[in-house]
């Protein structure tokens, strides 16, 4: 598929993309990741691709020396995610959700955050008081909101600004 055809649309929802376009997105993202990883000493890597729960394309990098790609508290991985997303959008001409993971780090972190969210919701509902979570990245806050969106006992709200932005869970 030519780039001109793909650039006709500026925003694509996961449900609207064809298999051919999805392959193009994946191939482009993988090429960008490989270009970026040239600057890291990670040895041989494998990039597995699969579809996430929200229809996003997940690219999971595995290999021998990949801890450097995660960094302290996932900061390096967050930066790689930002770079890959920005470059892919520019190259393909439309926005499509691509998530970069390393050795399923984000999957493990997501499970931890969901467990914290559920535990905090239980506490908020049981004690009939709000529960304030630690400051989180936008991605982490989104996980909390999504984990609790169907819990009729509580409501969630992001509060504060910048690095201090956090989720508060309110009992209903």
């Amino acid at each position: 598929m030519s780039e001109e055809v793909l650039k006709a649309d500026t925003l694509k929802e996961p449900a609207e993309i064809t298999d051919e376009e999805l392959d193009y997105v994946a191939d482009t993202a993988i090429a960008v990741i490989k270009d970026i990883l040239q600057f890291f000493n990670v040895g041989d890597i494998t990039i597995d691709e699969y579809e996430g729960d929200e229809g996003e394309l997940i690219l999971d990098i595995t290999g021998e020396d990949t801890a450097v790609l995660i960094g302290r508290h996932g900061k390096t991985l967050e930066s790689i995610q930002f770079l890959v997303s920005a470059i892919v959008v520019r190259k393909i001409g439309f926005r499509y959700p691509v998530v970069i993971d390393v050795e399923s780090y984000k999957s493990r972190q997501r499970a931890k955050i969901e467990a914290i969210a559920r535990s905090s919701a239980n506490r908020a509902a049981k004690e009939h008081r709000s529960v304030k979570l630690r400051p989180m990245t936008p991605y982490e806050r989104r996980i909390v909101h999504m984990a609790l969106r169907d819990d009729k006992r509580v409501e969630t709200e992001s509060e504060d600004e910048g690095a201090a932005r956090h989720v508060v869970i309110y009992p209903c």
Side-chain angles (χ1 to χ4, degrees), residues 26-43:
D27 292 345
T28 303
I30 290 169
V32 169
I33 291 168
K34 287 181 177 178
D35 285 347
I36 290 171
L37 294 188
Q38 291 179 70
F39 299 98
F40 291 87
N41 189 19
V42 291

Side-chain angles (χ1 to χ4, degrees), residues 33-156:
I33 291 168
K34 287 181 177 178
D35 285 347
I36 290 171
L37 294 188
Q38 291 179 70
F39 299 98
F40 291 87
N41 189 19
V42 291
D44 290 334
I45 56 135
T46 302
I47 302 175
D48 296 317
E49 64 180 84
Y50 53 96
E51 190 175 327
D53 295 339
E54 304 290 318
E56 71 275 21
L57 173 65
I58 300 174
L59 300 174
D60 191 16
I61 304 167
T62 57
E64 296 173 19
D65 252 345
T66 55
V68 69
L69 300 177
I70 297 170
R72 184 178 168 94
H73 302 295
K75 293 295 186 192
T76 304
L77 180 54
E78 193 177 305
S79 297
I80 292 170
Q81 170 74 55
F82 178 81
L83 282 173
V84 170
S85 294
I87 293 169
V88 167
V89 167
R90 294 250 331 175
K91 285 188 176 230
I92 67 175
F94 61 90
R95 190 171 308 282
Y96 187 84
V98 177
V99 176
I100 312 304
D101 203 353
V102 175
E103 303 279 349
S104 298
Y105 172 81
K106 281 187 178 177
S107 296
R108 291 189 308 274
Q109 290 304 105
R110 180 183 188 116
K112 284 181 188 175
I113 292 168
E114 287 172 344
I116 290 168
R118 285 189 297 276
S119 170
S120 299
N122 289 338
R123 195 168 80 218
K126 180 181 175 186
E127 297 176 7
H128 304 289
R129 66 175 186 85
S130 62
V131 175
K132 177 180 163 182
L133 301 181
R134 67 169 172 77
M136 296 179 169
T137 66
Y139 174 74
E140 292 170 328
R141 291 192 308 272
R142 182 172 184 266
I143 291 170
V144 172
H145 293 303
M146 289 174 56
L148 299 178
R149 69 180 168 204
D150 294 329
D151 190 330
K152 303 295 184 216
R153 304 169 305 150
V154 295
E155 292 180 357
T156 61

Side-chain angles (χ1 to χ4, degrees), residues 152-168:
K152 303 295 184 216
R153 304 169 305 150
V154 295
E155 292 180 357
T156 61
E157 189 175 311
S158 290
E159 295 182 355
D160 227 331
E161 295 180 18
R165 194 144 173 91
H166 59 275
V167 175
V168 179

